[in-house]
Amino acid sequence: MNSIRAGSSQTMRNEMVIVAPRIVIAVAIVACCGLATSTIAQEPAMHAGKLATELDRLANTGRVLYLAAHPDDENTRLLAYLANGRHVGVTYLAMTRGGGGQNLIGNEKAELLDVIRTEELLAARRLDGASQRFTRMRDFGYSKSADETLRIWGQQEALSDVVWVIRSVRPDVIISRFGEEPPNHGHHTASAILAREAFSAAADPERFPQHRELGREPWQADRLLRNVSHWRENPPPPNAIAIEVGDYDPRLGLGYGELAALSRSQHRSQGFGVAGERGSIVERFVHVAGTQVDADILEGLDLTWARFGPVGAEFAAAVDEARGVLSRDHPEAALPALLRAQAAVEKLPDRPRVRDARRALQRVIVGAAGLFVRATAERPGAIAGGSVPVSLELVSRRAKARVSQVVFSDGHREGPIDLPVGQKILLEHRLDISNQSPISAPYWLAQEGTLGRQTVEKPQLIGDPVGPPPLEVLLTVDPGDRTLELAVPVVFAWTDRVLGERERMFHVVPPATLTPVRDAVLFANGGTSSVRLRVRAGQSGLRGAVSLQLPEEWRSEPASVSVELAEEGDETSVRFAVTPGQGAVGTTITPVIRVAGVNWSWREDLVDYEHIPVQQVLRHSSLRLVPLSLTLPAGTIGYVAGSGDTVADDLRSLGMDVETVDEDTLRGGDLSGFAAIVVGIRAYNTREVVRNSHQRLMRYVEDGGNIVVQYQTQSRWSPLESPLGPFPMELGRERVTDESAKMEAVDSSARLLSSPNTISAADFEGWVQERGLYFAKSWDERYRPLFSAADPGEEPLLGSLLVAEHGKGRYVYTGLSFFRQLPAGVPGAYRLFANLIASDGVGGSVGRGE
């Protein structure tokens, strides 16, 4: 049943008179010179200062594209200054979404970390006023050369994506964050090479002609500059242009150094919270290509609408009028001029700057009118072919408005609806979802990618941070003799008793999701292991049968499990006892649930952190089955949690007795009952209690205990002053990024290489992303290195794993990336780690075998 309700629950259909000025409703606004900073209603409040800044940007046609490799590479000081101080449209193009990095706030890695870091960038852009774009390239981990990076990415594919974004944004100025000179992260250097190549390629109609078929014409930016690094290049190059970016903005009540700090601090997964800067801040630039400049990066450019001729001047005049009459207390006073600007901008040619100006102008009109509109679903998701109640909330708080027509995605129409000032209107409709609607997977994760780049089915989406919303409601407004249509994304909103109101995008979901409890299940010594799947109903009255689709040499008991769930959102778990047959090898399988004669195989991961919108990530479901030969150590293993890894659960999955060492036990509890203690990644960096308990941990070793400390970090931003071991040791940033690099034993007779598992070259096959990171740089002679390893063309490194006898016990520091290898199900990593935590050999025989 459909109804329209006012805030007082009275029917409000066709009762209000048409008023002037009539205004546009806009929600899914596309930010200037970029795609939407979020398709969910996460825009900053359009207060009077924000309105004034947005109007200033409308009067300016200048565009800057800033290009670097990862989330957190962008210079937020410069972005904040350009967007708010110079009022140009500025876009940050990140070559990757950053999933190859570490995660300081949780256990998410790879694709799920991509999701987090994408949303962190969007949160940053909502603060600093810039826009965000991406390429399809993947962060495959640290790379030591641009050649390797471009080979793995595919240089022409990467160049095509950068050219596509340039042709879409059409910037006047391109700024590269990095230079082409090594040493540097290969992704960084590659981004600089691509910026230089794309600067000219984007203007060449012979390069990537397929772009024209999708409406992207060749474009020549006027100049390419490089942003000088204030920490790498000190003193700066003598020919560098210097500009002051530390101005104070009274509209924001912040200097751009303070605004930039708020923006940069959104990169929480990387631990990049920073303090605000006040006073003078100087950024420097050097010329790379195009027009030479002497004093300012924007000098000599026509940043006005005069470049569009007389009609452009007409639009500019209306915008200037609106800027002049905009009142702090009565922003609606600017509406007549804004609507004249709306009429003028419609006369301009359909070009990217004009399209963005139209959308930005709509957003300003919405803000000036104090207009709020939101389409809220009763549930967070529903299946294709199903239905969901949707409530459309409309309230205009500063000016009267009229919506002539509302069109839901199922074709249902409502209207006209008059909006008196301050009167909330609720329009309710049960929305039927097309049975052809696709599952709401992120467009860049919907298909299997390669090591170097994501697969995008629709090339016109390349660059888009998130893609179009699964469901929208269209609103048609008739201000005078013009008609405007606006798309409102359907969201799910709820109230968190701690955080308040929260939102997430409504999703079209499968009838059920099958999420493996573990992405890799190991089978030690031919034995049986449990494969567990979390089943969540996407519909009420779910009836289905779950199976694993095993290869012939594997068997499961039972072969199939029936599932019945009464309500949408209900969950259960199913277990299969799986056994490898003789000769079975590791394999990747696809679990399925058969519902009404159709097989479904989707997994669901919920990413929930308070600084970004909640993300329901739907992907195709799969898991690895890995047989291995392994002798497990005896006794209870204590685990000191770090910044986010799954190693404790990885060990438990093999049947080891693992107990989390809580803070009270660290401070003063009995540690003697642990056969070994494992310290998680970055625990010394992130937990004061671990640093303060270091001497207790070392006494545990001295008394005969066994400690394994996984990688910790040392940096100039966050120096680690606490000792890590019983003897002096200095951490570095050395690493081996080639996951197939040869691992040579420094002493092949070392007991850790033979007990309880004999370690051979085969145990280093199948590693993922890297050998290790943050190796020890120097150490006391009482430490003994276990391995020597090197990336191609480099000198061997010895600091990946150090062993020391201390009193009756053994201490190990290792930068080997067990935190990646164990959840990925790498057999040799488990065998080596078992040796490290085994008590056999502790107390005098940690070095050489007997």
Side-chain angles (χ1 to χ4, degrees):
M1 181 177 180
N2 307 308
S3 63
I4 300 178
R5 296 188 290 116
S8 60
S9 299
Q10 297 175 344
T11 299
M12 295 294 297
R13 190 189 299 259
N14 296 330
E15 294 181 359
M16 299 297 165
V17 297
I18 298 175
V19 296
R22 299 172 186 166
I23 54 177
V24 181
I25 296 176
V27 173
I29 298 299
V30 179
C32 180
C33 71
L35 293 162
T37 55
S38 180
T39 53
I40 204 165
Q42 294 288 333
E43 293 291 336
M46 188 67 79
H47 52 73
K50 181 72 171 173
L51 278 170
T53 298
E54 293 286 344
L55 270 173
D56 285 344
R57 287 190 198 138
L58 267 173
N60 192 319
T61 62
R63 294 187 171 206
V64 175
L65 178 67
Y66 196 87
L67 192 154
H70 309 107
D72 74 36
D73 284 343
E74 77 274 24
N75 184 339
T76 54
R77 303 189 308 185
L78 180 63
L79 299 186
Y81 165 74
L82 290 174
N84 300 280
R86 301 296 293 273
H87 305 122
V88 298
V90 56
T91 298
Y92 174 46
L93 171 59
M95 292 299 301
T96 77
R97 295 175 186 261
Q102 286 81 54
N103 183 359
L104 202 64
I105 60 175
N107 297 333
E108 296 87 355
K109 300 179 185 67
E111 293 175 340
L112 291 181
L113 185 54
D114 277 330
V115 171
I116 290 174
R117 299 191 72 184
T118 294
E119 292 298 325
E120 288 179 336
L121 272 178
L122 296 178
R125 299 294 81 81
R126 287 191 288 271
L127 288 167
D128 60 35
S131 299
Q132 186 62 50
R133 296 283 184 116
F134 294 95
T135 75
R136 294 170 295 160
M137 304 306 112
R138 298 181 73 169
D139 179 356
F140 55 84
Y142 192 92
S143 173
K144 293 184 177 179
S145 74
D147 288 344
E148 179 194 52
T149 296
L150 294 172
R151 173 176 54 81
I152 293 174
W153 281 353
Q155 184 163 358
Q156 290 306 302
E157 294 287 343
L159 180 60
S160 174
D161 283 10
V162 177
V163 168
W164 169 268
V165 172
I166 291 174
R167 289 172 173 174
S168 300
V169 174
R170 301 169 78 84
D172 300 294
V173 180
I174 300 174
I175 302 175
S176 174
R177 184 68 177 112
F178 301 105
E180 299 184 30
E181 301 79 18
N184 204 334
H185 193 322
H187 299 179
H188 294 171
T189 313
S191 72
I193 293 170
L194 291 166
R196 173 176 50 79
E197 293 181 348
F199 178 77
S200 56
D204 186 349
E206 301 299 319
R207 302 296 301 274
F208 312 109
Q210 68 273 20
H211 293 175
R212 302 190 79 166
E213 299 172 8
L214 297 170
R216 301 303 190 270
E217 295 294 327
W219 176 257
Q220 179 63 71
D222 184 79
R223 63 199 63 162
L224 171 62
L225 308 173
R226 177 174 63 81
N227 191 186
V228 174
S229 169
H230 64 273
W231 69 87
R232 285 181 179 271
E233 300 174 83
N234 194 7
N239 61 335
I241 301 166
I243 62 172
E244 172 63 54
V245 301
D247 297 343
Y248 175 77
D249 192 330
R251 295 171 177 175
L252 301 172
L254 296 168
Y256 297 130
E258 295 170 300
L259 178 59
L262 295 175
S263 172
R264 187 161 186 79
S265 295
Q266 298 307 303
H267 296 294
R268 297 186 189 180
S269 67
Q270 305 307 294
F272 271 13
V274 295
E277 296 179 85
R278 286 157 288 277
S280 177
I281 301 172
V282 175
E283 291 291 339
R284 292 179 169 85
F285 307 84
V286 293
H287 175 266
V288 178
T291 300
Q292 291 269 7
V293 293
D294 297 322
D296 183 71
I297 62 175
L298 300 177
E299 72 181 34
L301 297 172
D302 182 1
L303 306 181
T304 72
W305 285 97
R307 63 168 73 178
F308 288 90
V311 178
E314 179 185 347
F315 172 68
V319 171
D320 284 343
E321 181 187 354
R323 294 164 71 193
V325 300
L326 181 69
S327 166
R328 181 196 65 188
D329 296 326
H330 295 283
E332 69 277 11
L335 283 172
L338 290 172
L339 291 176
R340 283 192 289 276
Q342 185 78 45
V345 79
E346 294 297 334
K347 302 175 187 177
L348 289 168
D350 189 29
R351 297 176 185 172
R353 279 179 173 81
V354 175
R355 289 194 292 270
D356 290 342
R358 290 168 183 161
R359 290 184 286 253
L361 180 58
Q362 288 176 359
R363 185 165 177 262
V364 171
I365 293 171
V366 168
L371 193 62
F372 178 87
V373 56
R374 182 172 66 176
T376 308
E378 186 180 81
R379 306 188 304 275
I383 63 170
S387 64
V388 63
V390 172
S391 176
L392 184 67
E393 179 182 356
L394 302 165
V395 56
S396 187
R397 292 167 286 196
R398 303 299 299 187
K400 296 178 181 180
R402 191 182 202 210
V403 180
S404 63
Q405 184 172 249
V406 176
V407 182
F408 291 87
S409 58
D410 59 2
H412 178 77
R413 298 170 185 267
E414 292 283 354
I417 304 167
D418 290 303
L419 302 179
V421 175
Q423 183 79 61
K424 182 170 74 174
I425 304 294
L426 292 176
L427 174 62
E428 296 178 339
H429 170 63
R430 176 170 284 277
L431 178 65
D432 293 324
I433 302 170
S434 168
N435 57 16
Q436 300 300 311
S437 296
I439 302 300
S440 301
Y443 79 89
W444 45 277
L445 294 179
Q447 298 187 36
E448 189 72 22
T450 67
L451 172 65
R453 61 182 177 274
Q454 293 137 356
T455 299
V456 174
E457 182 180 8
K458 298 179 179 179
Q460 61 268 34
L461 289 177
I462 292 172
D464 195 327
V466 293
L471 290 181
E472 294 178 317
V473 179
L474 300 179
L475 285 81
T476 302
V477 180
D478 301 315
D481 58 353
R482 292 176 293 113
T483 297
L484 298 140
E485 290 189 351
L486 308 136
V488 181
V490 177
V491 301
F492 173 68
W494 74 103
T495 301
D496 184 293
R497 296 301 296 271
V498 175
L499 301 176
E501 187 177 58
R502 304 187 73 189
E503 289 182 3
R504 56 190 273 195
M505 189 63 65
F506 176 87
H507 276 172
V508 178
V509 300
T513 52
L514 298 175
T515 305
V517 173
R518 294 193 56 77
D519 292 333
V521 179
L522 284 85
F523 300 81
N525 308 316
T528 297
S529 291
S530 177
V531 172
R532 292 184 296 152
L533 303 167
R534 188 180 79 245
V535 184
R536 187 173 188 275
Q539 65 179 48
S540 298
L542 175 73
R543 292 186 178 183
V546 180
S547 59
L548 294 180
Q549 308 290 292
L550 294 171
E552 291 183 2
E553 61 269 26
W554 295 77
R555 67 179 187 275
S556 73
E557 179 61 39
S560 176
V561 177
S562 296
V563 172
E564 293 190 14
L565 294 171
E567 300 295 334
E568 177 184 336
D570 286 353
E571 293 187 9
T572 189
S573 62
V574 297
R575 294 173 181 256
F576 297 88
V578 177
T579 307
Q582 188 161 2
V585 296
T587 186
T588 299
I589 64 168
T590 301
V592 301
I593 181 168
R594 191 166 183 83
V595 179
V598 178
N599 286 342
W600 299 86
S601 183
W602 291 86
R603 67 176 293 158
E604 174 187 7
D605 296 279
L606 200 66
V607 177
D608 187 357
Y609 295 100
E610 63 182 70
H611 67 300
I612 58 176
V614 174
Q615 302 295 307
Q616 179 190 25
V617 186
L618 296 171
R619 295 175 289 164
H620 293 293
S621 186
S622 65
L623 70 152
R624 281 190 54 74
L625 307 180
V626 185
L628 79 163
S629 174
L630 174 70
T631 299
L632 294 174
T636 299
I637 309 301
Y639 200 85
V640 179
S643 65
D645 63 64
T646 62
V647 170
D649 288 336
D650 298 330
L651 300 178
R652 291 187 186 106
S653 73
L654 283 174
M656 295 188 196
D657 181 14
V658 181
E659 179 181 317
T660 300
V661 182
D662 60 27
E663 292 193 359
D664 288 341
T665 303
L666 272 175
R667 291 189 181 102
D670 182 10
L671 302 177
S672 64
F674 296 116
I677 293 176
V678 178
V679 178
I681 61 172
R682 296 191 181 191
Y684 277 86
N685 298 102
T686 60
R687 299 184 63 193
E688 183 179 9
V689 67
V690 177
R691 298 190 295 272
N692 291 343
S693 302
H694 176 72
Q695 294 305 322
R696 292 200 75 241
L697 292 172
M698 293 305 100
R699 284 198 297 271
Y700 161 79
V701 177
E702 192 172 11
D703 292 340
N706 179 17
I707 277 188
V708 177
V709 177
Q710 297 177 83
Y711 91 85
Q712 311 296 310
T713 65
Q714 183 66 274
S715 71
R716 61 184 179 85
W717 300 283
S718 181
L720 179 61
E721 298 176 354
S722 167
L724 286 178
F727 315 119
M729 175 200 316
E730 181 184 359
L731 293 183
R733 300 183 68 81
E734 288 81 6
R735 62 184 75 201
V736 173
T737 63
D738 184 351
E739 65 270 25
S740 62
K742 185 177 181 180
M743 299 291 292
E744 294 189 9
V746 174
D747 181 355
S748 60
S749 66
R751 194 178 188 93
L752 284 175
L753 298 179
S754 62
S755 179
N757 302 287
T758 301
I759 303 302
S760 69
D763 290 302
F764 294 100
E765 295 175 357
W767 283 46
V768 299
Q769 185 161 318
E770 63 202 357
R771 287 297 190 203
L773 65 170
Y774 299 108
F775 292 176
K777 183 178 181 180
S778 63
W779 52 87
D780 187 279
E781 62 182 8
R782 286 167 284 188
Y783 291 105
R784 300 179 185 179
L786 195 62
F787 295 109
S788 171
D791 277 317
E794 296 187 354
E795 292 297 316
L797 299 174
L798 297 176
S800 67
L801 197 154
L802 301 180
V803 187
E805 299 176 17
H806 181 50
K808 301 176 183 179
R810 182 174 71 209
Y811 172 90
V812 173
Y813 174 79
T814 180
L816 295 178
S817 60
F818 291 106
F819 76 104
R820 294 194 193 279
Q821 313 311 321
L822 299 189
V826 178
Y830 277 92
R831 288 164 49 81
L832 177 57
F833 204 84
N835 285 12
L836 299 182
I837 60 179
S839 57
D840 178 30
V842 174
S845 58
V846 298
R848 303 185 64 85
E850 297 176 352

